[in-house]
Amino acid sequence: MKSDRPNPLARLSLTLSLFFFVVFLYIWFFINEAQFAALRRLGQSAVSNFQSQTVEKSLVENVTSSPPDMRILLGILTLADQYQRRHFLRLVYGTQSIADAQIDVKFVFCNLTKEDQKVLVALEIMRYNDIIILNCTENMNTGKTYTFFSSLPEIFDDPEGPSPPYHYVMKGDDDVYFRLNNLVESLRPLPREDLYYGYIIPCTSMELFKNDNYMSGMGYLISWDIVEWIRTSEIPRNHTVGPEDKVFGDWMRKGHLGKNRYNAKWSMYDYPTPPTVCTHELWPDTIAVHKLKDQEKWIKTLMYFNVTNDLPPSKLYHIP
């Protein structure tokens, strides 16, 4: 009869198979445990890096979102049709670096009156967002300056923005070259309330509080509290006709404002030629040069101040 006992060779084969299976399971578990640990460490590292980057980004955003210590609005009063002048001034001011201050340059004019303006000015606004269109009929000495200053509190009313939106507002002409860093440095030691700053007229005078003296229309600056006063006071509202810079001086005198006055003469002056009592030679401490009525005067002024010295070298161009 055939025996039912297992074949010894078969039993050995079964035992070896079980042994190798157990070894395989152990090795597989060990390898996967190591991989899992590595993946876990990698994941922890990634999360840690992400959290670190998030914290750093948050800190950077908090720093960069803090409003600058000095905020200035420079409103350049011009005309809607002065497209080339605005593009040129964007180059002039856009290439100036300003340390520890914010200067927003805006071009200011009254309501548009032509079909082409509605398209071309709209394109400028879409591209540069640096235009303020006032609700007025274009003029020089019949209220445009009043409309500009009196409109600003409403234009820049933002409960979530800094207060005040600007420490200073400067009205400037479009034939003036402002050196923004020098302007900022001249303002640092000055008060931020009741300030009236500019170039005293008449040109021969240095007296700040003489009754008929006022700051030249080339560019004068006031603190934000005076802007708010212009918005609500009857004094400027009822006196808007006449040479705008002289009229502004009348407001300061009748309102008993501008007790803090700063005469920037001779850091502000008219271009040297033709020579008059208001002109001055170009010099390094300049804040503003006025009466740049043609391109030749602009070019000579920009060359004097070496405005293109920082042009980086490149294979794309060769400018001697």
Side-chain angles (χ1 to χ4, degrees), residues 112-171:
L112 306 181
T113 58
K114 304 175 184 176
E115 288 301 315
D116 62 326
Q117 292 174 350
K118 297 176 183 178
V119 174
L120 298 176
V121 172
L123 287 172
E124 284 185 88
I125 294 172
M126 293 168 66
R127 176 62 182 86
Y128 301 107
N129 192 29
D130 61 358
I131 287 174
I132 296 175
I133 302 177
L134 303 173
N135 186 21
C136 56
T137 300
E138 195 58 67
N139 69 91
M140 179 180 295
N141 294 317
T142 57
K144 181 176 180 179
T145 298
Y146 169 74
T147 305
F148 168 59
F149 282 108
S150 63
S151 300
L152 295 179
E154 181 179 356
I155 290 173
F156 292 102
D157 179 26
D158 181 4
E160 297 182 0
S163 181
Y166 295 99
H167 298 107
Y168 305 112
V169 176
M170 189 167 208
K171 173 264 169 186

Side-chain angles (χ1 to χ4, degrees), residues 84-111:
Q84 292 186 352
R85 175 59 59 90
R86 286 195 293 278
H87 292 324
F88 173 71
L89 292 177
R90 287 185 183 110
L91 294 176
V92 168
Y93 296 121
T95 53
Q96 294 189 46
S97 59
I98 307 162
D100 303 321
Q102 170 188 334
I103 299 185
D104 292 339
V105 179
K106 303 290 185 182
F107 299 99
V108 182
F109 42 84
C110 291
N111 290 320

Side-chain angles (χ1 to χ4, degrees), residues 39-84:
L39 288 173
R40 182 176 58 191
R41 288 193 299 271
L42 180 62
Q44 289 174 338
S45 175
V47 171
S48 175
N49 286 339
F50 175 76
Q51 291 174 336
S52 174
Q53 290 172 0
T54 301
V55 170
E56 290 175 0
K57 182 180 179 182
S58 176
L59 290 173
V60 169
E61 287 177 346
N62 287 337
V63 171
T64 56
S65 63
S66 299
D69 181 58
M70 185 187 296
R71 299 181 298 280
I72 304 169
L73 173 65
L74 172 54
I76 299 177
L77 272 60
T78 185
L79 302 175
D81 286 335
Q82 292 282 10
Y83 302 107
Q84 292 186 352

Side-chain angles (χ1 to χ4, degrees), residues 11-37:
R11 283 191 300 170
L12 178 61
S13 175
L14 178 61
T15 300
L16 290 173
S17 297
L18 290 172
F19 173 76
F20 285 118
F21 180 71
V22 171
V23 170
F24 170 76
L25 287 176
Y26 176 78
I27 293 173
W28 181 84
F29 177 79
F30 178 79
I31 292 173
N32 279 274
E33 178 68 15
Q35 290 177 337
F36 176 76

Side-chain angles (χ1 to χ4, degrees), residues 257-275:
L257 293 177
K259 293 182 179 66
N260 298 313
R261 299 194 178 194
Y262 183 83
N263 181 14
K265 190 185 293 182
W266 287 96
S267 291
M268 299 175 69
Y269 50 89
D270 287 352
Y271 187 80
T273 56

Side-chain angles (χ1 to χ4, degrees), residues 163-181:
S163 181
Y166 295 99
H167 298 107
Y168 305 112
V169 176
M170 189 167 208
K171 173 264 169 186
D173 288 345
D174 63 4
D175 62 345
V176 178
Y177 172 49
F178 291 100
R179 302 184 69 216
L180 302 182
N181 258 324

